[in-house]
Amino acid sequence: MTRLLVECTHVFNHPSVNSGIQRVVRNVVSHLPASVDNVECVPVVILNGELYRVLQLQPLDAPFFSALQIFSERLERLAHRFWQWHRRRDAQCTSKLAQRLLYVGYRLSLFAAFGLPIRLTRRINRRQLLKRCSPLRHQPGDQLVLLDSSWHSDFCAHVEQLKREGVGVIAVIYDLIPLTHPQFYEARLIEVFSEWFDWITRTADGYMAISATVRDQVQEEVQRRIGSAQSAWRWFDFFHLGCELDLHNHQAAVEPRLQQLFTTSDPVYLMVSTIEPRKNHAYLLDAFERAWSAGSTARLCFVGRVGWKCTDLLTRVHQHAELNQRLFMFNDLNDTSLEYAYAHASALVFPSFVEGFGLPLVEAMQRGLPAMGSDIAVFREIGSQFMAYFDIDDPQSLVNLINEFQCSGQFPADRNVSQWRWIGWREASLQLVERSVSHVVELPAASGSQHAHCS
């Protein structure tokens, strides 16, 4: 019987990270059905070139071993980059003597700096791993679903070997933003993601995006890279994400400063996201400064961890005259506090330049919180007529929506958010599995040699 092997390696190794992709992986795995249409669904990780069935995604209460696992992973990644450096230098050498000296130096350095520490940490970590997962043998006909952020992992060669031995590969694609909008990312991430996507383009048999918008982008990009004939052997589909906050804990305390924010009747507009350029926080500041200068009592609240390329924005926020008056920022709220914010805010504002989905939108709207967002395709796909849209080239368009809402008390969307319905994580996980299985059944027998090597 074919099995669906749902990979969650990065979340398994980094359970404390709680941004978008990690939230998706954790929720999909925790709601994974046991089987669909006689296809068993198995959460798996790929560690040190071996396949494991996940028994417990969250770690045992052992901080030392969790830290050791993270150290081990970083050490192995550094060793991989050292090997890449050696390979480039070896290719540049024209002298055989220089090549031999370089090789000897490489082997000695590898043994001293990486070999012994990696062997030791692997042995310790393996004992701990077997409490959370168990070795799993793959079978021809299995389908490996790369659900996690696999561009962070160094298991390309192992996946290629699985493919040669009859295992299909399905890639979950969250977005192509590092390729389509590289200005929003650091050069290293762009390079890593581009190399990964080039590999996955030639390796995967099918692609499951998180929105119809991203599915169409992926199909177009794959076709551009490998041509119509090769892309015709692949399949393309999508599933939608759920909306529950899985780390919400009724026993946890709500941040007192956040509670204080909602003790007055003045409206609070909530922005939930990592603080990074693509999310366009500066646009909100521009819009609300216009509103404030015109006498608006609306308040703006940023919620999200500090990301990258945001020094200027943080300086602007921290030096702002309205900070802690009509402008607020929380960088480390737990899910309980976030749930409280969704329940008490007046509206969500989401001015992103580009998104693969927009998870805070469904989290907010499913709780009855109306949302205003930038007028981009994926927000139209999710919000339809239940959202209000503004022009990200014109802050005044958002100011007009805020003023209309505040003056009339009627949210400026065509339909009321109370009539909007969305799926939960159980349905989202089932969508992923059912749609993947339907394509696997129909998938033509493709050559096992159609793969490329990670660089």
Side-chain angles (χ1 to χ4, degrees):
M1 179 178 69
T2 299
R3 297 178 299 181
L4 217 59
L5 310 179
V6 182
E7 177 268 330
C8 50
T9 307
H10 194 257
V11 166
F12 186 88
N13 286 331
H14 302 87
S16 62
V17 180
N18 191 32
S19 56
I21 293 178
Q22 289 75 33
R23 189 185 292 275
V24 174
V25 173
R26 198 172 57 243
N27 280 286
V28 167
V29 169
S30 65
H31 291 95
L32 200 63
S35 65
V36 169
D37 295 336
N38 294 322
V39 176
E40 184 185 2
C41 303
V42 183
V44 302
V45 291
I46 303 173
L47 302 169
N48 304 323
E50 297 180 28
L51 194 63
Y52 295 84
R53 178 194 294 264
V54 174
L55 305 175
Q56 180 176 321
L57 187 57
Q58 295 299 311
L60 304 170
D61 187 17
F64 169 77
F65 293 111
S66 297
L68 186 65
Q69 173 63 35
I70 294 172
F71 169 76
S72 175
E73 184 186 54
R74 290 177 177 173
L75 189 64
E76 295 202 34
R77 189 172 300 165
L78 188 60
H80 179 72
R81 290 178 183 173
F82 183 52
W83 169 77
Q84 289 179 312
W85 173 86
H86 169 261
R87 190 177 62 171
R88 288 194 298 268
R89 293 294 178 271
D90 184 68
Q92 295 169 356
C93 285
T94 56
S95 164
K96 288 187 177 181
L97 177 60
Q99 284 181 325
R100 288 176 182 174
L101 291 174
L102 182 65
Y103 178 75
V104 170
Y106 165 73
R107 296 299 298 180
L108 289 174
S109 300
L110 186 65
F111 177 77
F114 301 109
L116 288 176
I118 286 176
R119 287 181 185 178
L120 179 61
T121 55
R122 275 185 180 179
R123 182 168 297 181
I124 297 172
N125 285 331
R126 183 174 177 82
R127 291 183 179 180
Q128 294 302 309
L129 283 176
L130 293 178
K131 298 177 181 178
R132 295 173 60 199
C133 58
S134 61
L136 180 71
R137 286 192 62 83
H138 63 278
Q139 304 167 2
D142 284 344
Q143 301 293 318
L144 178 65
V145 181
L146 297 177
L147 176 66
D148 213 336
S149 47
S150 52
W151 51 91
H152 289 309
S153 302
D154 295 327
F155 53 51
C156 295
H158 185 65
V159 171
E160 291 168 8
Q161 183 60 38
L162 292 175
K163 188 172 176 67
R164 284 191 290 268
E165 295 175 6
V167 175
V169 178
I170 300 170
V172 174
I173 309 294
Y174 293 89
D175 59 65
L176 299 181
I177 300 172
L179 304 180
T180 60
H181 296 74
Q183 68 271 26
F184 295 133
Y185 295 96
E186 301 290 350
R188 178 59 188 165
L189 176 61
I190 297 168
E191 180 184 356
V192 168
F193 188 88
S194 181
E195 289 176 356
W196 170 82
F197 191 76
D198 188 60
W199 172 75
I200 208 66
T201 296
R202 292 167 171 79
T203 303
D205 303 296
Y207 303 85
M208 186 66 74
I210 60 170
S211 64
T213 302
V214 173
R215 175 203 58 192
D216 296 342
Q217 293 170 351
V218 171
Q219 186 164 8
E220 182 179 336
E221 181 64 17
V222 170
Q223 191 171 39
R224 187 186 71 81
R225 290 184 179 227
I226 63 176
S228 300
Q230 285 295 317
S231 76
W233 285 94
R234 277 75 170 171
W235 56 264
F236 303 84
D237 208 336
F238 73 98
F239 73 110
H240 277 149
L241 307 182
C243 56
E244 303 97 327
L245 296 175
D246 64 307
L247 298 184
H248 174 53
N249 183 351
H250 292 288
Q251 306 301 319
V254 176
E255 166 63 47
R257 290 193 305 119
L258 181 71
Q259 286 183 304
Q260 183 66 30
L261 174 60
F262 294 103
T263 56
T264 73
S265 59
D266 292 332
V268 175
Y269 289 80
L270 197 63
M271 168 62 171
V272 179
S273 77
T274 302
I275 298 175
E276 40 128 336
R278 176 171 62 88
K279 303 297 185 175
N280 207 10
H281 291 75
Y283 174 94
L284 289 184
L285 277 179
D286 293 341
F288 275 80
E289 284 172 355
R290 290 191 185 193
W292 293 331
S293 65
S296 174
T297 60
R299 291 168 294 166
L300 175 61
C301 180
F302 293 151
V303 174
R305 66 179 180 85
V306 175
W308 51 91
K309 290 189 172 184
C310 59
T311 303
D312 291 344
L313 175 74
L314 293 176
T315 300
R316 182 179 174 185
V317 170
H318 292 147
Q319 295 179 355
H320 205 285
E322 294 293 344
L323 184 63
N324 297 324
Q325 303 296 320
R326 288 186 287 189
L327 172 63
F328 302 84
M329 177 181 285
F330 298 90
N331 301 125
D332 57 355
L333 291 186
N334 58 29
D335 274 9
T336 302
S337 294
L338 180 56
E339 191 81 58
Y340 186 91
Y342 280 142
H344 291 82
S346 301
L348 183 82
V349 279
F350 210 158
S352 284
F353 287 106
V354 58
E355 288 285 338
F357 184 77
L359 196 54
L361 287 179
V362 298
E363 291 175 348
M365 293 173 69
Q366 186 68 2
R367 289 158 177 78
L369 181 64
M372 301 175 176
S374 45
D375 195 357
I376 58 178
V378 72
F379 286 178
R380 290 281 183 178
E381 177 184 340
I382 294 167
S384 184
Q385 296 175 299
F386 298 93
M387 274 180 63
Y389 301 94
F390 50 81
D391 182 354
I392 54 175
D393 292 323
D394 180 16
Q396 188 61 42
S397 67
L398 174 56
V399 176
N400 294 340
L401 292 177
I402 293 170
N403 290 338
E404 181 182 346
F405 188 23
Q406 193 163 0
C407 291
S408 69
Q410 183 71 33
F411 190 74
D414 293 337
R415 298 184 64 182
N416 194 297
V417 70
S418 64
Q419 302 171 340
W420 186 84
R421 293 291 179 270
W422 200 255
I423 62 174
W425 283 111
R426 186 171 302 280
E427 292 85 0
S429 188
L430 191 60
Q431 266 190 17
L432 169 64
V433 170
E434 287 182 336
R435 295 181 183 183
S436 296
V437 168
S438 70
H439 288 286
V440 169
V441 171
E442 300 169 2
L443 192 66
S447 169
S449 63
Q450 291 178 350
H451 64 270
H453 291 279
C454 273
S455 58

